[in-house]
Amino acid sequence: MLRYFLRKLGYGVLVLLGVVIVVFLLFNVLPADPARLTLGQRADVTSLENVRKELHLDKSKAAQFFYYLNDLSPIGIHSREELQSSLNGLALFSVGGEKVLVIKTPYLRRSYQGKKDVWEILTEALPGTLVLALAAMIFATIVGIALGILSAVKQNTWMDTSAVFASVIGISAPSFFTGIVLAYLFGFVLSDYTGLHMTGSLFDIDPFEGRILNLRNLILPAITLGIRPLAIIVQLTRSAMLDVLGQDYIRTAYAKGLSRPVILYKHALRNALNPVITAITGWFAELLAGAFFVEYIFGWKGIGKVTVDALEKFDFPVVMGAVLFTAGIFVLINLLADVLYSIVDPRIRLSN
């Protein structure tokens, strides 16, 4: 089990290293000058040179990459001044002069615009994305399983045809298009009847009462984000239920006189849920990574909106940090899923 976990962990580290390389190359071929983005267009030459030196822009691209990798690594070599001013870590021992070996939180550098630590910006936005992804997944799971069961039980009827047709549309429609339609229709045209708004965050700010929880703002973005996994869950549940309902033990249960609800939910559904659970696990990680445009459309404060706003302002450290942060979450969730599968079914561990 330990070897299996370490092997999967090694694959995850390699994936993250590949993402780091791609992100670094992508944002270092852009023509924008990070020093000028940091100080503004009216900065003097001396200040610009100082910032370029601080950001290691006066070094070769290879050296810049190793500095960046050193910042991202949980164990790195830094000066004592850096440890005190910008790093959240602990010095282990000196490696010569002012340099020390440090164990630390990965340093994603600072925002060009707000001069704020990127890690702090992303951790502040993470709860919004987690709440949105969780709400979308709960909606997709409950409605998707219910429609999948209905479709299987009412096979070859108009209910079955409607559910399959709707799921195909749900898979085909991109989230940004669905979001715009739902926001305009239910948040603008029918707003007086639905009480919903086109944009809004989990908490509204009241000048007298401060932060107020507003769950209504969660409805439209959660539905928009949950439509595609819902469509997948409908088809998986339908297919698995049809396969299970044709098994001998289901016919035996009917022969024993068990009621139809007991057969459907206690015997058939329990044995049909394995592929659905696999899809739910994978889609939750996908939702965390894919909520960017949905958050932006609905003005939902999360990692996606923070990233798109930063991209508009050429705030590259925030964008790079968000991509790496999201990739890390994706790898972590898939690692946990692999471990859980290996615990539930040891054959997976042995086959690897």
Side-chain angles (χ1 to χ4, degrees):
M1 182 65 189
L2 180 60
R3 288 198 302 270
Y4 176 80
F5 175 77
L6 291 176
R7 185 164 60 248
K8 290 294 183 180
L9 182 62
Y11 293 154
V13 172
L14 289 176
V15 170
L16 288 177
L17 181 59
V19 173
V20 170
I21 294 172
V22 172
V23 166
F24 179 83
L25 292 176
L26 180 62
F27 286 94
N28 276 270
V29 298
L30 297 175
D33 182 2
R36 195 165 290 281
L37 290 172
T38 302
L39 296 177
Q41 297 300 319
R42 298 183 179 181
D44 59 86
V45 176
T46 304
S47 299
L48 289 172
E49 290 301 323
N50 289 335
V51 170
R52 289 191 182 102
K53 185 176 181 181
E54 179 186 346
L55 298 176
H56 311 296
L57 299 176
D58 56 337
K59 306 289 194 305
S60 66
K61 293 296 183 183
Q64 289 181 42
F65 174 73
F66 283 110
Y67 276 113
Y68 188 58
L69 202 59
N70 185 56
D71 287 342
L72 294 177
S73 173
I75 298 177
I77 298 175
H78 296 271
S79 67
R80 296 184 185 276
E81 182 182 352
E82 289 176 326
L83 180 60
Q84 294 174 356
S85 62
S86 58
L87 299 180
N88 181 21
L90 176 67
L92 298 178
F93 54 83
S94 175
V95 292
E98 282 292 312
K99 298 292 184 181
V100 289
L101 186 67
V102 177
I103 181 170
K104 64 185 189 330
T105 303
Y107 179 49
L108 300 175
R109 300 188 174 176
R110 293 185 181 276
S111 165
Y112 290 157
Q113 303 297 325
K115 310 298 185 293
K116 195 174 181 180
D117 195 309
V118 172
W119 184 265
E120 187 178 347
I121 294 173
L122 296 179
T123 51
E124 287 178 357
L126 178 61
T129 298
L130 286 175
V131 169
L132 177 58
L134 186 60
M137 204 68 249
I138 291 174
F139 161 72
T141 301
I142 294 174
V143 178
I145 290 176
L147 288 178
I149 294 173
L150 180 65
S151 181
V153 172
K154 302 292 184 179
Q155 185 184 15
N156 298 325
T157 66
W158 68 269
M159 294 183 184
D160 180 28
T161 304
S162 300
V164 172
F165 179 71
S167 67
V168 171
I169 294 177
I171 295 171
S172 305
S175 296
F176 65 85
F177 174 76
T178 307
I180 292 172
V181 172
L182 291 180
Y184 177 72
L185 185 60
F186 295 102
F188 180 71
V189 176
L190 301 176
S191 179
D192 293 338
Y193 304 100
T194 62
L196 303 176
H197 304 288
M198 292 184 69
T199 60
S201 294
L202 186 61
F203 291 95
D204 290 335
I205 305 299
D206 186 274
F208 301 103
E209 299 183 17
R211 299 196 338 152
I212 301 175
L213 181 66
N214 192 344
L215 291 177
R216 286 187 305 174
N217 292 335
L218 179 62
I219 295 174
L220 290 180
I223 291 175
T224 301
L225 194 61
I227 284 176
R228 295 192 71 193
L230 184 153
I232 297 292
I233 291 172
V234 168
Q235 296 202 3
L236 284 175
T237 305
R238 178 184 182 275
S239 176
M241 283 291 291
L242 287 175
D243 183 58
V244 170
L245 289 174
Q247 299 296 318
D248 291 338
Y249 69 88
I250 297 295
R251 287 191 285 270
T252 302
Y254 275 115
K256 287 182 177 180
L258 295 178
S259 65
R260 194 175 190 187
V262 171
I263 294 173
L264 287 177
Y265 296 104
K266 187 175 180 180
H267 296 282
L269 183 59
R270 288 180 62 182
N271 291 286
L273 280 180
N274 283 342
V276 178
I277 293 173
T278 302
I280 291 171
T281 306
W283 266 103
F284 184 70
E286 187 76 21
L287 292 184
L288 287 174
F292 281 40
F293 290 108
V294 173
E295 290 180 5
Y296 186 72
I297 290 169
F298 290 98
W300 183 265
K301 187 179 180 182
I303 291 179
K305 187 174 186 303
V306 166
T307 305
V308 177
D309 288 342
L311 194 57
E312 287 181 339
K313 300 172 183 176
F314 297 101
D315 201 346
F316 298 143
V318 176
V319 180
M320 295 167 72
V323 173
L324 296 175
F325 192 81
T326 305
I329 292 175
F330 196 90
V331 168
L332 180 61
I333 291 177
N334 279 279
L335 176 64
L336 292 176
D338 286 338
V339 172
L340 288 176
Y341 294 154
S342 69
I343 293 173
V344 173
D345 188 353
R347 291 174 299 176
I348 296 175
R349 186 168 67 247
L350 293 174
S351 65
N352 287 276

